[in-house]
């Protein structure tokens, strides 16, 4: 039962985080950030979000920028989900490079 609640909260946080990043990246032309996966700890205190950045060359720069502004992202998330969650989880962001890995595998298979 606890896992069902974790999954529901993870989906809620993924949706809201994607909306936050979508509104923030409108100002940055040529950059797109999508939240590919969110995982929530069993006590709902930590949310690990995986971000996919296009173009992938700017991935490290974007992740550093997001990690530097994690407090403002958490505040924005808190204003959006304050009626659903009692405690807003601590946010951790990592880059999701699975698409780059798939491209690399495809290139190796073509050779």
């Amino acid at each position: 039962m606890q896992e069902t609640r974790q999954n529901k909260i993870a989906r809620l946080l993924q949706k809201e985080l994607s909306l936050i990043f979508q509104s923030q990246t409108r100002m940055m032309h040529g950059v797109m950030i999508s939240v590919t996966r969110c995982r929530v700890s069993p006590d709902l205190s930590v949310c690990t979000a995986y971000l996919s950045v296009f173009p992938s060359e700017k991935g490290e720069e974007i992740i550093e920028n997001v990690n530097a502004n994690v407090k403002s992202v958490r505040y924005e998330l808190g204003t959006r989900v304050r009626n659903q969650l009692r405690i807003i989880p601590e946010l951790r962001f990592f880059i999701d490079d699975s698409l780059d890995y798939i491209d690399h595998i495809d290139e190796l298979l073509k050779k």
Side-chain angles (χ1 to χ4, degrees):
M1 185 168 142
Q2 180 70 18
E3 191 170 311
T4 305
R5 180 165 169 77
Q6 281 178 267
N7 291 337
K8 284 182 181 181
I9 291 175
R11 284 194 306 266
L12 172 71
L13 294 176
Q14 180 179 0
K15 179 183 155 213
E16 294 300 331
L17 282 172
S18 65
L19 292 174
I20 290 170
F21 287 127
Q22 183 181 23
S23 67
Q24 294 295 322
T25 56
R26 283 194 180 134
M27 298 170 225
M28 300 169 46
H29 298 289
V31 176
M32 185 174 74
I33 300 175
S34 59
V35 182
T36 57
R37 184 176 48 200
C38 279
R39 296 193 187 258
V40 181
S41 64
D43 62 349
L44 307 177
S45 65
V46 178
C47 173
T48 304
Y50 294 91
L51 305 178
S52 177
V53 180
F54 181 80
S56 60
E57 296 84 33
K58 295 186 178 182
E60 291 297 324
E61 175 188 346
I62 297 292
I63 289 294
E64 288 174 8
N65 191 8
V66 168
N67 284 328
N69 297 316
V70 73
K71 288 184 179 182
S72 61
V73 173
R74 185 176 180 204
Y75 176 77
E76 179 72 25
L77 181 67
T79 59
R80 290 174 178 254
V81 297
R82 68 174 176 250
N83 295 328
Q84 287 98 359
L85 296 177
R86 184 174 294 179
I87 297 172
I88 307 304
E90 174 188 339
L91 299 174
R92 295 182 183 161
F93 295 104
F94 296 100
I95 194 153
D96 184 19
D97 57 355
S98 60
L99 294 176
D100 296 333
Y101 182 72
I102 290 171
D103 288 339
H104 179 68
I105 296 295
D106 283 341
E107 289 175 17
L108 291 176
L109 289 175
K110 287 180 183 177
K111 290 183 179 180

